[in-house]
Amino acid sequence: MVRKIIRVAIVLLVLLGLPLIAWRAFLNLSINRELAKIRTAGFPANGEELNFWYAAVPDHQNAALVLTQAFALRQDYPDNRSNLINDFKFPKRNERLSAEQTQLLQGYLRLNEAQIRRADEALTLPAARYPLDFTLLMNTPLPHLTWLNDLAELHEFAALIALESGDFTAVGTNIMTILALVRTLDNEPSAISQLVRFKGIGRAFMTFERRANAGPLTAAEIANLTIAFDQTRVTSSSVIALTGDRALMIPYFRMTLAEYNRLHPPKPKQEPKANSPLPCHGPAILRLIGYYDLDYGTFLVGMRKAIAQLGKAPPENLRTRGYFARIGEESAKRQRSLSGLFFSNYVNSGVDENVALANQRLVLATLAIERFRNDNGRRPESLDELVPKYLAEVPEDPFTGMELEYRGKEKGYVIYSLGPDRENNEGLEKVDKKQSDDGRSYDITFTVER
């Protein structure tokens, strides 16, 4: 009887164990092939490799190191005026600052003169790499992003004050400085870092729109700002971001609990979340049957396809929006899906990049229009009039692949992109979106009312 039971157990072990072993071997082989594709393409697959992929910069050429010193010089008001700075509401395009706002910003700029001077010294250096250690994976500190954003805002304040006094040269200088700060993040392989870049480009865009409405631009302003905006890279930013984030996420799929706790030290009496998607927190049976490795493979294949799609020219790169949404929803249907959690963070990757690209193209087209106005004493009837003397070609809307839209106004003009919804709202601005048919639609506009 005992022998019979042993024989039955052996048969069951063979019938159940061998398929499981074969299944796990297949999953492991598929994962290793995907990892090999990443490394063969020259991309990183963990934090240590990402440290090397994010190219080092000699200290004597590194603007980021000097900017870090500048960040430490930041000063805040010692009273409730610091709250007024944090909650500052920028005036609308043609509105003036109040006397109280002017005094508030002037005082804040005086407080931070040393920081501004040190940052200006930093931006004379030719390259930038902030001192980051990506072996900390998703726990990598990125404090410089907040500081950089604050410094860009400081220059936006300075531009507002310069507009009030009619010092248009200073306005242009501050716009160019904002863009120079943005460019220190050009190669930083992090989605959050690239979003800060895009926000900085948006600051420069809004500041220039205020300047363009304040009065005619000089030839020198047009030339300098054209160079500054043209040098600010936008395309491929999302590819860099996802390549870096993928490297930071890959280790979590096979991370031990001890490794996780080392990177993310638990707080006292803190217990793992009941439905944590992390394999190291999950049931042993799911690890045994290869559930998490299946999810791992889904992540690797999904990110590879998404990064390739993001590398395509606009508007083709926008296909990643639907792709990430779809695979994110599919992954979310499965419990404990780590890939679904990661994918949900990147649905708007292509959209965010294309908004920044639209901003850049609208500014460059506006600068060409203003140059035409200076030469001809009138605005062009269409953007075609700018070709080839003022523009090599009419810029494309990154959301449609068609030419940017242009409308003359009774006073001035509006040039615009249709934006993420790809609906032509006739140049309707975001602040006026309630006037649209659905109360939500608007275009990405650059409006000059003079």
Side-chain angles (χ1 to χ4, degrees):
M1 183 66 180
V2 173
R3 290 181 179 177
K4 185 176 181 180
I5 293 174
I6 292 174
R7 284 197 297 271
V8 171
I10 292 173
V11 170
L12 289 174
L13 183 62
V14 170
L15 291 177
L16 298 177
L18 288 181
L20 179 60
I21 292 172
W23 168 242
R24 293 301 307 272
F26 169 75
L27 288 177
N28 193 59
L29 179 63
S30 299
I31 288 169
N32 288 338
R33 283 177 175 170
E34 286 297 323
L35 291 174
K37 288 178 182 178
I38 292 171
R39 291 182 169 117
T40 299
F43 297 133
N46 56 49
E48 185 175 358
E49 292 174 12
L50 184 57
N51 278 339
F52 287 99
W53 189 73
Y54 183 21
V57 173
D59 287 356
H60 69 280
Q61 297 180 3
N62 194 350
L65 296 182
V66 184
L67 278 172
T68 301
Q69 298 170 10
F71 298 150
L73 299 174
R74 182 175 180 234
Q75 299 291 319
D76 285 322
Y77 279 118
D79 48 39
N80 69 327
R81 287 176 296 176
S82 63
N83 294 328
L84 296 177
I85 288 292
N86 291 334
D87 299 331
F88 185 80
K89 303 298 182 185
F90 284 88
K92 294 180 181 179
R93 184 170 52 243
N94 287 313
E95 287 183 351
R96 302 288 301 271
L97 293 172
S98 68
E100 293 78 10
Q101 287 177 317
T102 299
Q103 185 177 22
L104 176 74
L105 296 186
Q106 287 175 334
Y108 188 59
L109 290 168
R110 283 194 297 269
L111 274 177
N112 286 282
E113 285 177 351
Q115 183 190 29
I116 293 172
R117 284 196 303 271
R118 191 62 174 145
D120 287 345
E121 293 171 10
L123 295 175
T124 63
L125 298 175
R129 188 201 193 278
Y130 292 91
L132 304 175
D133 178 10
F134 289 113
T135 60
L136 297 174
L137 303 180
M138 300 304 290
N139 211 31
T140 302
L142 301 170
H144 63 288
L145 298 182
T146 298
W147 300 332
L148 197 67
N149 182 66
D150 290 342
L151 185 55
E153 184 181 59
L154 197 62
H155 282 280
E156 192 172 8
F157 291 156
L160 284 179
I161 294 299
L163 273 175
E164 287 295 310
S165 65
D167 187 354
F168 294 154
T169 299
V171 176
T173 298
N174 281 288
I175 292 172
M176 290 186 287
T177 301
I178 292 172
L179 293 174
L181 291 169
V182 161
R183 289 195 291 271
T184 67
L185 296 174
D186 275 1
N187 299 313
E188 189 154 300
S190 161
I192 296 176
S193 302
Q194 295 308 313
L195 284 175
V196 171
R197 284 185 74 247
F198 298 154
K199 183 176 181 180
I201 292 170
R203 284 190 187 281
F205 174 89
M206 294 299 296
T207 304
F208 176 61
E209 187 179 44
R210 293 190 184 96
R211 165 63 193 95
N213 277 273
L217 282 85
T218 66
E221 284 182 286
I222 292 171
N224 291 334
L225 289 170
T226 297
I227 292 171
F229 276 97
D230 193 50
Q231 286 178 341
T232 303
R233 193 189 71 217
V234 180
T235 55
S236 299
S237 297
S238 294
V239 170
I240 292 172
L242 262 69
T243 298
D245 277 19
R246 176 178 63 182
L248 298 179
M249 293 171 179
I250 282 174
Y252 286 92
F253 285 91
R254 288 182 172 172
M255 183 178 289
T256 67
L257 186 57
E259 290 171 334
Y260 179 83
N261 288 337
R262 179 180 62 82
L263 293 171
H264 305 268
K267 297 178 181 179
K269 299 182 181 180
Q270 177 184 355
E271 296 182 2
K273 294 181 180 179
N275 294 314
S276 171
L278 289 168
C280 61
H281 289 155
I285 185 63
L286 292 183
R287 293 195 294 272
L288 177 64
I289 65 175
Y291 173 86
Y292 292 113
D293 274 359
L294 180 61
D295 193 41
Y296 188 7
T298 298
F299 173 77
L300 292 174
V301 173
M303 289 295 274
R304 171 169 55 81
K305 291 182 177 179
I307 289 171
Q309 187 67 47
L310 278 172
K312 294 184 178 180
E316 286 298 307
N317 63 337
L318 293 173
R319 291 181 179 273
T320 52
R321 188 180 197 182
Y323 178 71
F324 269 134
R326 184 174 66 256
I327 60 178
E329 289 172 2
E330 291 172 355
S331 296
K333 291 176 183 177
R334 305 194 306 271
Q335 291 183 349
R336 304 181 187 278
S337 171
L338 187 57
S339 64
L341 178 65
F342 286 153
F343 288 148
S344 65
N345 294 323
Y346 301 108
V347 171
N348 288 321
S349 295
V351 174
D352 293 332
E353 179 173 302
N354 284 17
V355 168
L357 183 58
N359 287 343
Q360 181 192 46
R361 290 179 176 177
L362 289 170
V363 167
L364 291 173
T366 300
L367 287 163
I369 291 170
E370 291 303 310
R371 186 178 161 211
F372 179 98
R373 289 178 85 180
N374 286 349
D375 288 350
N376 298 280
R378 63 176 178 87
R379 61 171 177 79
E381 294 302 317
S382 73
L383 296 182
D384 290 331
E385 278 197 81
L386 302 175
V387 179
K389 182 176 180 180
Y390 302 95
L391 287 173
E393 59 184 3
V394 176
E396 289 184 355
D397 182 343
F399 288 98
T400 65
M402 307 297 287
E403 294 180 354
L404 291 172
E405 298 287 337
Y406 173 74
R407 299 281 186 275
K409 297 169 69 73
E410 183 176 346
K411 190 176 182 181
Y413 58 90
V414 59
I415 180 170
Y416 63 96
S417 156
L418 270 53
D421 64 3
R422 305 185 192 189
E423 295 290 333
N424 192 337
N425 294 284
E426 302 298 326
L428 189 68
E429 299 183 53
K430 186 175 182 178
V431 294
D432 299 322
K433 64 183 179 181
K434 290 185 179 179
Q435 298 176 18
S436 65
D437 293 338
D438 61 7
R440 299 189 305 272
S441 299
Y442 59 90
D443 299 317
I444 301 174
T445 61
F446 194 105
T447 303
V448 177
E449 298 177 296
R450 60 166 178 78

